[in-house]
Amino acid sequence: MKILVINGPNLNMLGIRQPEIYGSGSYKDLCDTVNKHALSKGVDVEIYQSNFEGEIVEKIQSAYNTADGIIINPAAYTHTSVAILDALLAVKVPAVEVHLSDPERREAFRRINYVKNACIKSVCGKGTDGYKEALDFLTDYIEGKR
Ligand code: CA2
């Protein structure tokens, strides 16, 4: 089983500020958490990060016929990007959305969410553990257990 994990803008800067919102771990720590959990489950993961909307759209398109599932934290593009929503709808690969924080409990503009309309589940406010929960849910879903 192949799962593509996509992280959006600024997540590569994790750990340098706002630890009270996003935790104190670095982006490498996040990747290590995901890779370790995937290895323990025998799942093949590719982790991708970009600060550019069009690159994220192209990465989602690359999942068509090549990945079994997508885990995506679109970061700020969550609240603005119809292009990312449309790409997820186009490839029709099951996708789970993850947020380190809970955008619903923050500023009003973070309550606008385009991407969730293309996702089978959203995991919010659980820090990097949210990626593990997303991987568990998605693999069960692909295997027909959910
Ligand atoms: O909670 C999340 O995971 C978010 O997707 C993170 C985005 C934010 O725009 C979303 O509303 C919620 C921001 C990622 C920025 O990451 C930082 C990295 C280093 C220092 C500060 C923030």
Side-chain angles (χ1 to χ4, degrees), residues 9-11 13-18 22 73-76 78-79 98-103 106 110:
N10 297 308
L11 286 165
M13 301 292 278
L14 271 182
I16 65 158
R17 62 179 174 88
Q18 295 183 294
Y22 299 116
N73 182 346
T78 307
H79 318 297
V98 177
H99 295 286
L100 297 163
S101 66
D102 184 353
R106 297 180 61 192
R110 292 187 206 275

Side-chain angles (χ1 to χ4, degrees), residues 104-121:
E104 288 286 331
R105 293 168 167 264
R106 297 180 61 192
E107 303 95 326
F109 64 83
R110 292 187 206 275
R111 287 184 213 130
I112 298 162
N113 185 331
Y114 290 92
V115 173
K116 75 173 178 199
N117 294 291
C119 294
I120 57 170
K121 186 180 171 70

